[in-house]
Amino acid sequence: MPENDNNPLEMRDAFGQTLVELGAAYPNMVMLDADLNTSSKAVYFKKAYPDRFIQVGIAEQNLFGISAGLALTGFIPFPSTFAVFAARRALDQIAISICYPNLNVKIPGSYVGVPTSRAGASHNCIEDIAVMRALPNMKVADAGDNADLRAIMHTAMKTEGPVYFRVTRYTLPVLFGPGHTFAWGKGELLREGADVTLFGTGLMTGKCMAAAEILAKDGIPAEVIHLASIKPIDRALIAQSVRKTGCAVTAENATIVGGFGAAVAEALGDVYPVPLRRIGVQDQWLNSGGVDALFELHKMQPPHIAAAARAAIQAKLSPEAMKGPGS
Amino acid sequence: MPENDNNPLEMRDAFGQTLVELGAAYPNMVMLDADLNTSSKAVYFKKAYPDRFIQVGIAEQNLFGISAGLALTGFIPFPSTFAVFAARRALDQIAISICYPNLNVKIPGSYVGVPTSRAGASHNCIEDIAVMRALPNMKVADAGDNADLRAIMHTAMKTEGPVYFRVTRYTLPVLFGPGHTFAWGKGELLREGADVTLFGTGLMTGKCMAAAEILAKDGIPAEVIHLASIKPIDRALIAQSVRKTGCAVTAENATIVGGFGAAVAEALGDVYPVPLRRIGVQDQWLNSGGVDALFELHKMQPPHIAAAARAAIQAKLSPEAMKGPGS
Amino acid sequence: MQPTQELSGYLEEMAYQIRRLSVEMITYGKWGHIGGSFSMAELLAVLYFHHMRIDPDAPKWEARDRLVLSKAHGSPALYAALALKGFYPIEAVYTYCELDGIEGHTDMTRTPGLESSGGPLGMGLSVAVGMALGLRFKENAVARVFCILGDGECNEGNVWEAAMSAAHYHLDNLIAIVDYNKVMAKGFVWDLMGIEPFAAKWRAFGWDVIEIDGHDIPAIVQALHEARWVRPAGRPIVIIAHTVKGRGVEMAEFNYKWHTQAPEPAVADRMLRELSRRYGRAEEGYSRLHEDDAKEAFYAGE
Amino acid sequence: MQPTQELSGYLEEMAYQIRRLSVEMITYGKWGHIGGSFSMAELLAVLYFHHMRIDPDAPKWEARDRLVLSKAHGSPALYAALALKGFYPIEAVYTYCELDGIEGHTDMTRTPGLESSGGPLGMGLSVAVGMALGLRFKENAVARVFCILGDGECNEGNVWEAAMSAAHYHLDNLIAIVDYNKVMAKGFVWDLMGIEPFAAKWRAFGWDVIEIDGHDIPAIVQALHEARWVRPAGRPIVIIAHTVKGRGVEMAEFNYKWHTQAPEPAVADRMLRELSRRYGRAEEGYSRLHEDDAKEAFYAGE
Ligand SMILES: Cc1ncc(C[n+]2csc(CCOP(=O)(O)OP(=O)(O)O)c2C)c(N)n1
Ligand SMILES: Cc1ncc(C[n+]2csc(CCOP(=O)(O)OP(=O)(O)O)c2C)c(N)n1
Ligand SMILES: [Mg+2]
Ligand SMILES: [Mg+2]
């Protein structure tokens, strides 16, 4: 079942469909669920391959431990739960039972960030990028659209070792054509521009594209780079772009502390330091609210990205203006 | 029992002694242990105030949940376990039962990083800084010596809300005099220098001081700044220093992904971007070994810091040389 | 300790209002868990309007009883009970899931009367153990700590860590109540992860067990009385309340599809009318049926 | 299934060697857990030298039995068993806790014969459940998965999550063994966090229980035979092995102070001499007593 780019699905449905595709190609793939399959859409796999679907109940520690055991007997497990429960409830199991022995487990983190919205702070996952990135051996990705998610999942299956990828409960605008592929550590230049680079990951890349339009109207050419692969990250492309533009903005559907923005900041410090503005949840709990209201509240909409881009340009032009709020 | 700076204790003993001091000053302080008190040195408190010591057995999720309940009935709990089990095993409980309602719980993370040494990768905690920093409301600190730890603990008691601080199983060289104090978001300039700034946290600050000596012998004046307060971090002091030196090195007893180095990289991107080299565990598991052998293996000794400083200076002087390994 | 006819009637009315308000807020908030709110309506009614020593005018009264809703997705029913009890105006429930409103899962910093924050299952009993220990330290012999758990929630290991420690510390000032409604998020408990023999598990973990019909108001009154005044003998007490998930409207009963789902306003209207008929009240539908609602319909599905 | 005199003697010798090598490697590595290594010496001896279907020349043989050491701090005893079995040379154990050597806690990527990596308590049974499910998927009816747990470890909720799921999936190809040595890291189990009634807990979680003296070799042989061939009836099986922490040298017996502690070489020498006397062997001390050891004495304490 290929995704239908003309009538975009919610990303979680694209996730479910891709699970079915992969299940056909990999007879040793098994899906595990902790009582959330019709929400996460692991249910697609359950319906297609009931014999390879394992329900563990509401027990996330066990979910990941069992997955380790299945990987050790030759299966490729997809333990599925909400991202908060992967990143927080079962972190020790993911770290030691899975990452440490580098087991072949693919972990989808469902219900990430703002679009989880009304469920509130305990469920609107903002810390998974920071947390998963900190684990040695773990690879981390956040898809920009459904085609990207599908490509990530296909690549994940061909990658030996643990992978964490985010699945959003949201319908994303189409960014990529049908032939789209994904490779670890490779970013995608989506739009060229000379004045500032907008680095997006996950659903925020679409908002970066919209921000670039806003900036273009003001005569500011912004470059947009999509970095679905957060770990490893495309340091070469980052360096190449900021060497031209001289300043950057990151945008992620997550906390700006330690996550994607930090990954770019680390890379910039390593390869080419420039002023950086980070868009995302500003170290607050992501409480309940409507999706758009939350994007607005946390200043994650295209106009906010555009404003951050202007601030970055300003900082580049007048180093004295770089004194941020802290100085 | 004040710490004895002339005959330095292992930091965990300074921790134990300070617990006893605080227990005298705060009758509503309670200590919780998950079967590790003679290792963590929570045992000092247990012996002094047996009525305020609660053993929960080997059950870290429960350890932090119970602490939330005690905080809600007016106590100031110190739930104590190894750092890995706070940061990984009980992260959901720390995040939602404690941080989210901003409860007054003080969390010591014992046995951090390299000096945990022989216990091996599952116990040598490297990800706690990245993980704890990602939680809204959480404050994070890593002491440079025993006096610093004592100051952090005293300040933590006067701070409303959750605090995470690291306790090392190691004897650290003395950095601070007896009148030493600690304030959130305040760094300490330990040595002035014009060519490069060495930002240290935890036991790595001492190694930065030694690195500065090495550099001085080569005629390179290095500035050393100790940032025990990792979150919040002293952005003003960071900016002020790098505006002068133009490049920096961070050094932490933890993974360089998402932790202290990332916090500094984030701050630099915000306020004054300069080339940055990050010393710490390079995104690998910190397997068993002798302490010195591990510091050597992971290139965390003063000569390595000095070499990183030279590389940072090089990058500052010839921007083209800034192309790091990734570009 | 049989309640009077009058008391039972009053508590029944409160259970009815809890159900009504749950539907109102879930529909208006466009998100929430009907099944698990309905199944504990009688439990909350008896706790908040008869058994618990609490004072809405002094929500932080030191000697009060405390309730931790561990199955925090059942928040609508609790928010309704707190509003009906007078902790805040009834109107406030219509801010459910709104910015700066009442949080989808429980956030104690935003809602008076809430004793803890939650969302992730399995955590609340530990918090309750901490409170019960705290009360013991304070030598408060009267106050009780209640903790409501889901049956599916009891899959979580954290529950059993807490259970073990409560027995170890002889916390007979702690009363857990399991809303044993036989259904979890995506199916029946026995199908997804069986928990039987359930009472035996609690007993083996050192608890005293009382089993009741969790919709039978006199039985609940009696069980709580017993748990507070008769049973305490150095063991924590669990009331296993056999309930029906979604109890109140037929389409939701024992049906996991109404575990999490906001009804369309028209469906809510039908639900509420059915509810009033069941209770023998004058038929009354959804109060905001015709309100022009500009909110996105995002969470209507599961 | 009484073992012959000869078999018992051989298994006793293996238990003896496991204890000796544990002391050797902990002393030389200057870190490690003597008490919990000693208490399971007989269990490992019977498993690795009699019961388990494994082949050191084909460590990844698909149809092999598997053992997950959930109490991974007991690694010295397991490393000893694997070395004695021939998975690697005995000499390798002297790299314990060294750079690029055998890891302090278990790291399966470094040590042939290890079936999992560990360190944090409470996780292993889940991994074993996954393996048992995996074997079921593969329609391997013969292989068994063993999992050794500590008694203190059973405080961990993760253990009970795993236990519940093993019963739910009728995994009678899974055999858990609890090294019930009555002591955890800092004291007695009943004092720090009581787990009794312990067998009742497992039964209430749907397991079949066998209780034995975990130092009685014929009893272990018999229990494993029963667990593998007699008991399977759709329920996972737990062997509660009553043991003595530190069993083998008096100073360590039932003494939490030897839970984690590397002995000074001279103390190790005394320990090993005592051990040989107890086993009626010629007195033999610490093999590297006089070796000039430049390694830091860092972890000598707890
Ligand atoms: C740790 C955790 N895992 C998963 C969820 C998602 N979730 C919310 S409610 C629910 C089902 C709860 O079932 P049960 O405990 O039986 O509650 P009730 O039937 O009373 O609604 C699940 C899986 C969660 N909130 N927390
Ligand atoms: C999750 C976790 N918490 C704490 C520890 C530290 N620790 C190592 S061994 C041990 C005591 C184990 O006691 P028990 O399970 O009884 O094992 P045994 O007596 O067989 O050594 C503790 C607390 C750990 N390894 N993992
Ligand atoms: Mg239920
Ligand atoms: Mg023990």
Side-chain angles (χ1 to χ4, degrees):
Chain A
M1 270 182 264
E3 78 288 354
N4 178 349
D5 277 341
N6 297 321
N7 176 18
L9 298 165
E10 260 195 27
M11 187 185 270
R12 58 177 176 162
D13 289 298
F15 166 68
Q17 292 183 357
T18 308
L19 288 176
V20 174
E21 259 176 54
L22 293 173
Y26 296 86
N28 60 339
M29 171 178 170
V30 291
M31 192 85 214
L32 293 92
D33 175 39
D35 193 24
L36 289 171
N37 64 81
T38 59
S39 302
S40 65
K41 299 303 175 191
V43 66
Y44 283 76
F45 190 96
K46 176 185 169 183
K47 288 198 172 139
Y49 316 106
D51 294 349
R52 289 190 272 149
F53 179 86
I54 303 166
Q55 178 57 254
V56 306
I58 309 171
E60 294 78 11
Q61 302 189 107
N62 198 33
L63 173 74
F64 291 98
I66 290 179
S67 297
L70 286 164
L72 287 166
T73 40
F75 295 91
I76 307 180
F78 272 67
S80 166
T81 181
F82 288 165
V84 277
F85 304 128
R88 294 195 312 236
R89 190 55 156 270
L91 185 59
D92 208 13
Q93 287 75 12
I94 291 175
I96 300 305
S97 295
I98 294 173
C99 277
Y100 178 35
N102 203 27
L103 298 185
N104 204 15
V105 179
K106 314 303 167 191
I107 306 174
S110 296
Y111 279 57
V112 289
V114 171
T116 313
S117 64
R118 293 194 163 86
S122 63
H123 280 57
N124 301 348
C125 190
I126 58 172
E127 61 282 80
D128 55 336
I129 300 177
V131 164
M132 292 295 179
R133 212 165 71 79
L135 302 180
N137 293 346
M138 185 65 101
K139 293 187 165 58
V140 179
D142 195 2
D145 72 0
N146 292 349
D148 204 23
L149 178 73
R150 181 167 173 272
I152 289 168
M153 290 170 68
H154 277 267
T155 299
M157 285 305 270
K158 289 177 210 122
T159 308
E160 188 67 30
V163 168
Y164 176 78
F165 62 97
R166 307 181 100 205
V167 183
T168 313
R169 187 203 201 289
Y170 204 49
T171 307
L172 273 64
V174 172
L175 289 179
F176 299 107
H180 178 66
T181 59
F182 168 89
W184 294 111
K186 281 285 154 224
E188 294 259 358
L189 177 63
L190 295 185
R191 179 181 177 127
E192 287 196 60
D195 283 10
V196 59
T197 312
L198 311 180
F199 293 108
T201 194
L203 66 83
M204 294 302 287
T205 299
K207 294 192 187 281
C208 287
M209 291 298 278
E213 286 298 329
I214 295 173
L215 291 164
K217 290 205 184 94
D218 288 359
I220 301 172
E223 182 143 310
V224 179
I225 288 177
H226 175 56
L227 297 168
S229 176
I230 298 174
K231 185 184 181 188
I233 202 159
D234 193 340
R235 293 151 59 94
L237 186 59
I238 291 172
Q240 185 187 313
S241 178
V242 298
R243 189 169 290 128
K244 175 175 67 177
T245 61
C247 64
V249 174
T250 56
E252 67 200 292
N253 175 29
T255 178
I256 57 156
V257 180
F260 171 69
V264 172
E266 288 166 3
L268 292 176
D270 289 349
V271 296
Y272 201 91
V274 298
L276 177 68
R277 295 292 172 267
R278 286 168 290 134
I279 293 284
V281 180
Q282 305 287 318
D283 196 22
Q284 298 161 40
W285 293 101
L286 188 52
N287 283 94
S288 292
V291 180
D292 293 336
L294 287 172
F295 274 131
E296 210 47 60
L297 177 74
H298 293 281
K299 301 199 163 56
M300 293 165 68
Q301 294 291 35
H304 304 118
I305 300 173
R310 287 192 197 94
I313 293 169
Q314 186 68 23
K316 152 177 86 167
L317 298 177
S318 54
E320 276 322 295
M322 284 202 43
K323 292 172 221 155
S327 53
Chain B
M1 273 185 264
E3 79 289 355
N4 178 348
D5 278 341
N6 297 321
N7 175 18
L9 299 165
E10 260 196 27
M11 187 186 270
R12 58 177 176 162
D13 289 297
F15 167 68
Q17 293 182 357
T18 308
L19 288 176
V20 175
E21 261 178 54
L22 292 173
Y26 296 87
N28 61 339
M29 171 178 171
V30 291
M31 193 84 213
L32 293 93
D33 175 38
D35 194 23
L36 289 171
N37 63 81
T38 60
S39 302
S40 65
K41 300 303 176 191
V43 66
Y44 283 77
F45 190 95
K46 176 185 168 182
K47 288 198 172 139
Y49 316 106
D51 294 349
R52 288 190 273 150
F53 179 86
I54 302 166
Q55 178 58 254
V56 307
I58 310 171
E60 294 77 12
Q61 301 189 105
N62 197 33
L63 173 74
F64 291 98
I66 290 180
S67 297
L70 286 164
L72 287 166
T73 39
F75 295 90
I76 307 180
F78 272 65
S80 167
T81 181
F82 288 164
V84 276
F85 305 127
R88 294 193 314 234
R89 190 56 156 270
L91 185 59
D92 208 12
Q93 287 75 12
I94 291 175
I96 300 305
S97 294
I98 294 173
C99 277
Y100 178 34
N102 203 26
L103 298 185
N104 203 16
V105 179
K106 314 304 167 190
I107 307 174
S110 296
Y111 279 56
V112 290
V114 170
T116 312
S117 65
R118 293 193 163 86
S122 64
H123 280 57
N124 301 347
C125 189
I126 58 172
E127 62 281 81
D128 55 336
I129 300 178
V131 164
M132 292 295 180
R133 212 165 71 79
L135 302 180
N137 293 347
M138 186 65 101
K139 292 187 165 61
V140 180
D142 194 2
D145 72 0
N146 292 349
D148 204 22
L149 178 73
R150 181 167 174 272
I152 288 168
M153 290 171 68
H154 276 268
T155 300
M157 285 305 270
K158 289 179 210 121
T159 308
E160 187 68 29
V163 167
Y164 176 78
F165 62 97
R166 305 181 101 205
V167 183
T168 312
R169 188 203 201 289
Y170 204 50
T171 307
L172 272 64
V174 172
L175 289 179
F176 298 106
H180 179 66
T181 58
F182 169 88
W184 293 111
K186 280 285 154 223
E188 295 258 358
L189 177 63
L190 294 185
R191 177 181 177 128
E192 287 196 60
D195 282 11
V196 59
T197 312
L198 311 180
F199 294 108
T201 195
L203 66 83
M204 294 302 287
T205 299
K207 294 191 186 282
C208 287
M209 291 298 278
E213 286 298 329
I214 296 173
L215 291 164
K217 290 203 186 97
D218 287 358
I220 301 173
E223 181 143 310
V224 180
I225 288 178
H226 176 55
L227 298 168
S229 176
I230 298 174
K231 184 183 180 187
I233 202 159
D234 193 341
R235 294 151 59 94
L237 185 60
I238 292 172
Q240 185 187 313
S241 177
V242 297
R243 190 169 290 129
K244 176 175 65 176
T245 61
C247 65
V249 174
T250 56
E252 66 200 291
N253 174 29
T255 178
I256 58 156
V257 180
F260 172 68
V264 172
E266 289 167 2
L268 292 177
D270 289 350
V271 296
Y272 201 91
V274 297
L276 177 67
R277 296 292 172 268
R278 285 167 291 133
I279 293 284
V281 180
Q282 306 286 319
D283 197 21
Q284 298 161 41
W285 293 101
L286 187 52
N287 283 95
S288 292
V291 180
D292 293 336
L294 286 173
F295 274 131
E296 212 44 62
L297 177 73
H298 293 280
K299 301 199 165 57
M300 293 165 68
Q301 294 291 34
H304 304 118
I305 299 173
R310 286 192 198 93
I313 293 168
Q314 186 68 22
K316 153 176 86 167
L317 298 177
S318 56
E320 276 321 295
M322 283 200 44
K323 293 172 218 153
S327 53
Chain C
M1 250 307 292
Q2 280 296 311
T4 61
Q5 196 85 39
E6 199 194 327
L7 176 60
S8 287
Y10 168 65
L11 297 176
E12 186 183 284
E13 173 65 17
M14 288 301 106
Y16 173 57
Q17 293 299 342
I18 287 171
R19 287 196 171 89
R20 287 201 73 87
L21 277 177
S22 296
V23 176
E24 291 270 330
M25 82 181 88
I26 290 169
T27 309
Y28 195 71
K30 296 207 182 303
W31 186 84
H33 298 76
I34 285 191
S37 295
F38 278 14
S39 58
M40 60 175 180
E42 281 78 15
L43 293 168
L44 288 175
V46 178
L47 283 161
Y48 278 90
F49 299 95
H50 171 63
H51 186 86
M52 278 172 65
R53 296 160 41 99
I54 46 171
D55 178 357
D57 295 325
K60 297 285 164 195
W61 172 39
E62 270 242 14
R64 72 192 182 280
D65 288 349
R66 285 145 171 95
L67 183 137
V68 174
L69 183 67
S70 190
K71 45 168 280 194
H73 60 282
S75 55
L78 179 56
Y79 290 144
L82 293 173
L84 291 164
K85 185 77 180 181
F87 280 93
Y88 42 82
I90 300 274
E91 266 306 298
V93 306
Y94 293 98
T95 68
Y96 184 53
C97 294
E98 284 300 291
L99 273 193
D100 296 318
I102 289 182
E103 182 82 351
H105 291 87
T106 48
D107 179 347
M108 60 169 293
T109 66
R110 292 175 169 227
T111 310
L114 279 188
E115 298 285 1
S116 65
S117 293
L121 293 163
M123 293 183 178
L125 191 59
S126 288
V127 178
V129 167
M131 289 175 175
L133 271 172
L135 292 171
R136 279 281 152 86
F137 279 133
K138 295 188 157 173
E139 304 191 354
N140 179 333
V142 178
R144 291 290 179 276
V145 180
F146 300 90
C147 178
I148 302 185
L149 297 147
D151 45 7
E153 181 178 14
C154 293
N155 296 168
E156 286 287 353
N158 193 163
V159 172
W160 302 103
E161 291 182 7
M164 198 184 275
S165 66
H168 186 75
Y169 284 107
H170 303 285
L171 298 177
D172 55 13
N173 58 344
L174 172 64
I175 299 168
I177 304 171
V178 181
D179 181 4
Y180 196 173
N181 60 24
K182 316 298 181 295
V183 178
M184 22 210 288
K186 311 302 176 187
F188 287 103
V189 175
W190 57 263
D191 189 21
L192 272 48
M193 184 49 62
I195 58 174
E196 286 292 340
F198 195 51
K201 284 189 173 61
W202 288 97
R203 284 202 188 92
F205 274 72
W207 289 57
D208 205 352
V209 178
I210 301 175
E211 293 204 55
I212 57 167
D213 173 346
H215 298 302
D216 178 341
I217 285 174
I220 302 169
V221 169
Q222 169 60 23
L224 288 170
H225 172 80
E226 208 180 308
R228 186 178 207 117
W229 300 112
V230 182
R231 295 283 188 120
R235 281 193 305 263
I237 297 140
V238 60
I239 298 174
I240 298 180
H242 293 274
T243 58
V244 173
K245 192 152 178 167
R247 167 72 166 252
V249 295
E250 202 167 317
M251 76 172 101
E253 286 182 358
F254 273 148
N255 187 348
Y256 83 85
K257 298 214 164 152
W258 284 98
H259 165 71
T260 172
Q261 182 155 202
E264 297 290 313
V267 176
D269 193 65
R270 284 209 305 281
M271 281 186 167
L272 287 168
R273 286 178 192 282
E274 179 185 337
L275 201 57
S276 39
R277 286 196 305 273
R278 279 234 204 163
Y279 272 87
R281 309 288 198 273
E283 211 170 290
E284 197 188 333
Y286 174 44
S287 73
R288 302 199 166 190
L289 180 60
H290 297 299
E291 190 165 316
D292 191 18
D293 189 354
K295 289 188 281 185
E296 57 212 309
F298 188 60
Y299 265 94
E302 67 204 324
Chain D
M1 249 306 292
Q2 279 297 311
T4 61
Q5 198 84 39
E6 199 194 325
L7 175 60
S8 287
Y10 168 65
L11 296 176
E12 186 184 284
E13 174 65 16
M14 289 301 105
Y16 173 57
Q17 293 300 343
I18 286 170
R19 288 197 171 89
R20 288 200 73 86
L21 278 177
S22 296
V23 175
E24 292 270 329
M25 81 181 88
I26 290 170
T27 309
Y28 195 71
K30 297 210 181 302
W31 186 84
H33 298 76
I34 286 192
S37 294
F38 278 14
S39 57
M40 60 176 180
E42 282 79 15
L43 293 168
L44 289 175
V46 178
L47 283 161
Y48 278 89
F49 299 95
H50 171 63
H51 186 87
M52 278 171 65
R53 297 159 42 98
I54 46 171
D55 179 356
D57 296 324
K60 298 284 165 195
W61 173 38
E62 270 242 14
R64 72 192 182 280
D65 288 348
R66 285 146 171 96
L67 183 138
V68 175
L69 183 67
S70 191
K71 45 168 280 196
H73 61 282
S75 54
L78 179 56
Y79 290 144
L82 293 172
L84 291 163
K85 185 76 181 179
F87 280 93
Y88 42 82
I90 300 273
E91 266 306 298
V93 306
Y94 294 98
T95 68
Y96 184 54
C97 295
E98 284 301 290
L99 272 193
D100 297 318
I102 289 182
E103 182 82 352
H105 292 87
T106 49
D107 179 347
M108 61 169 292
T109 66
R110 293 176 169 227
T111 310
L114 279 188
E115 298 285 2
S116 64
S117 294
L121 293 164
M123 292 183 178
L125 191 58
S126 288
V127 178
V129 167
M131 289 175 175
L133 271 173
L135 291 171
R136 280 281 152 86
F137 279 133
K138 294 188 158 173
E139 303 191 356
N140 179 333
V142 177
R144 292 290 180 275
V145 180
F146 299 91
C147 178
I148 303 187
L149 298 148
D151 44 7
E153 181 178 13
C154 293
N155 297 167
E156 286 287 353
N158 193 163
V159 172
W160 302 104
E161 290 182 8
M164 197 184 273
S165 66
H168 186 75
Y169 284 107
H170 303 285
L171 298 177
D172 55 13
N173 58 343
L174 172 64
I175 299 169
I177 304 171
V178 181
D179 181 3
Y180 196 172
N181 61 23
K182 317 298 182 295
V183 178
M184 21 210 290
K186 310 302 176 187
F188 286 103
V189 174
W190 56 263
D191 190 22
L192 272 48
M193 183 50 61
I195 58 173
E196 286 292 341
F198 194 53
K201 284 188 173 62
W202 288 96
R203 285 203 188 91
F205 274 72
W207 288 57
D208 205 351
V209 179
I210 302 175
E211 294 203 55
I212 56 167
D213 173 347
H215 298 302
D216 178 341
I217 285 174
I220 301 169
V221 170
Q222 169 61 24
L224 287 170
H225 172 81
E226 208 180 309
R228 186 177 206 117
W229 299 113
V230 183
R231 295 282 187 120
R235 282 193 304 262
I237 297 140
V238 61
I239 298 174
I240 298 180
H242 293 273
T243 58
V244 174
K245 191 151 180 169
R247 169 70 166 254
V249 295
E250 202 168 317
M251 76 173 100
E253 287 183 355
F254 274 148
N255 186 348
Y256 81 86
K257 298 214 165 152
W258 282 99
H259 165 72
T260 172
Q261 182 156 201
E264 298 291 314
V267 176
D269 194 65
R270 284 208 305 281
M271 280 185 166
L272 287 168
R273 286 179 191 281
E274 178 185 338
L275 201 57
S276 39
R277 285 197 305 273
R278 278 233 202 164
Y279 273 87
R281 309 288 197 273
E283 212 171 290
E284 198 188 334
Y286 174 44
S287 73
R288 303 199 166 191
L289 180 60
H290 298 299
E291 189 165 318
D292 192 18
D293 189 353
K295 288 187 282 185
E296 59 213 308
F298 188 60
Y299 265 95
E302 68 205 324

